Amino acid sequence: MALGEFDLIARYFQRPGGQAVLGIGDDCALVAPTPGMQLAISTDMLVEGRHFLSTVAPQWLGHKALAVNLSDLAACGARPLAFTLSLALPRVDEAFLEGFSRGLFALADAHAIELVGGDTTAGPLNISITVLGEVPPGRALLRSGARPGDALWVSGTLGDARLALECFRGSVALPGEQFQQVRRAMEQPQPRVALGQALQGVATAAADVSDGLLGDLGHILARSRVGAVLHADALPRSAVLAQQPVAVQQQCTLAGGDDYELVFIAPADQAAAVQAAGRAAGVAVTCVGRIQAEPGLRVVDAQGAPVAHGLASFDHFKT
């Protein structure tokens, strides 16, 4: 007998209550943040063929659907509390639902975050998650705090997810283990939640690298009304990406997207504190530039010469 909507929810998404005052089962969930804290809320949607390939394993799709939302909380420096899930399915596929829910809840459990509600419907495969987190008043990392003289940092490495996409497109060929490495970066991103919280009181501005470093850094510069110089050769990249031609490396690190690392700004005299935050979170952090008063983003090489790249970050309505 085919599963109905509420049977589907009960079998794959209903779990015992946790932190929420009231979770799945009523018209609304009730979530009580810690007294004195502010709520941080973000929503992301993933559409098949636009945000993920049909070949992705359901388990990793469940992981990524939540990871990209947790990455937004990380960029704000917030601690995750709960999330909702809205899921459109072309049909009830129990094998897909089992894998998807397993990957979803594995990451949820790793971050102690609880599914408290949502919606299901029939339609083209579409996943929308809203996350709720909390952050002390005045401690949230915003995009508007960068100041001239501040240092520009990124976490982890950039570009592997885009390199994997180019492999799927057939423009790059990699041997088996190297392909699997970059594919993991694309399909199993690790949100930098611990780093975001460790940067409270240290970083002055932050964003997550979802659409490409050029664009996501550009949002910080626009909101902060400043410019920056970015050292392209200093951008951290994996050994796999470092073997590619320079043009491919630049495309992947500057405009690749889907990295879900943090780009953040901190006062120049806070380098030791930034490094300590990275060690506490178990994430490498690299200084890659400097904030300047003059508007605009200037990309330079190791000798300080301008890099003519002609690249732009992902835009859903221009790409």
Side-chain angles (χ1 to χ4, degrees), residues 112-292:
I113 184 171
E114 181 179 359
L115 177 62
V116 295
D119 191 26
T120 57
T121 188
L125 185 55
N126 188 319
I127 305 155
S128 180
I129 287 180
T130 296
V131 287
L132 294 84
E134 63 180 17
V135 64
R139 301 275 284 184
L141 305 179
L142 308 178
R143 295 177 175 178
S144 55
R147 298 291 179 265
D150 286 352
L152 168 60
W153 298 77
V154 295
S155 67
T157 60
L158 303 176
D160 276 4
R162 177 57 182 266
L163 186 59
L165 180 60
E166 295 305 319
C167 289
F168 279 111
R169 287 174 169 173
S171 62
V172 173
L174 293 176
E177 180 50 41
Q178 291 189 6
F179 171 66
Q180 292 304 321
Q181 177 181 321
V182 299
R183 184 176 185 176
R184 282 192 295 271
M186 181 175 75
E187 297 181 345
Q188 304 168 47
Q190 301 301 318
R192 302 308 189 185
V193 173
L195 178 61
Q197 294 176 75
L199 287 171
Q200 287 182 19
V202 177
T204 56
D208 75 325
V209 183
S210 54
D211 294 328
L213 180 61
L214 292 176
D216 294 313
L217 173 57
H219 297 319
I220 293 177
L221 302 183
R223 292 295 297 270
S224 298
R225 299 182 179 180
V226 294
V229 57
L230 175 66
H231 298 281
D233 294 334
L235 293 174
R237 66 208 74 187
S238 70
V240 175
L241 180 56
Q243 297 174 21
Q244 297 299 311
V246 171
V248 174
Q249 293 185 47
Q250 289 180 351
Q251 179 187 48
C252 292
T253 56
L254 291 172
D258 247 9
D259 291 308
Y260 300 102
E261 296 292 349
L262 297 185
V263 53
F264 59 95
I265 316 301
D269 62 2
Q270 292 295 302
V274 170
Q275 294 287 357
R279 288 192 297 271
V283 181
V285 290
T286 305
C287 185
V288 297
R290 190 65 56 107
I291 300 300
Q292 299 179 326

Side-chain angles (χ1 to χ4, degrees), residues 5 87-92 120-125:
E5 177 183 1
L87 185 61
L89 296 166
R91 64 189 180 282
V92 176
T120 57
T121 188
L125 185 55

Side-chain angles (χ1 to χ4, degrees), residues 16-39:
Q19 299 181 81
V21 178
L22 181 66
I24 293 174
D26 282 75
D27 290 310
C28 290
L30 300 176
V31 179
T34 305
M37 301 287 270
Q38 293 179 327
L39 280 177

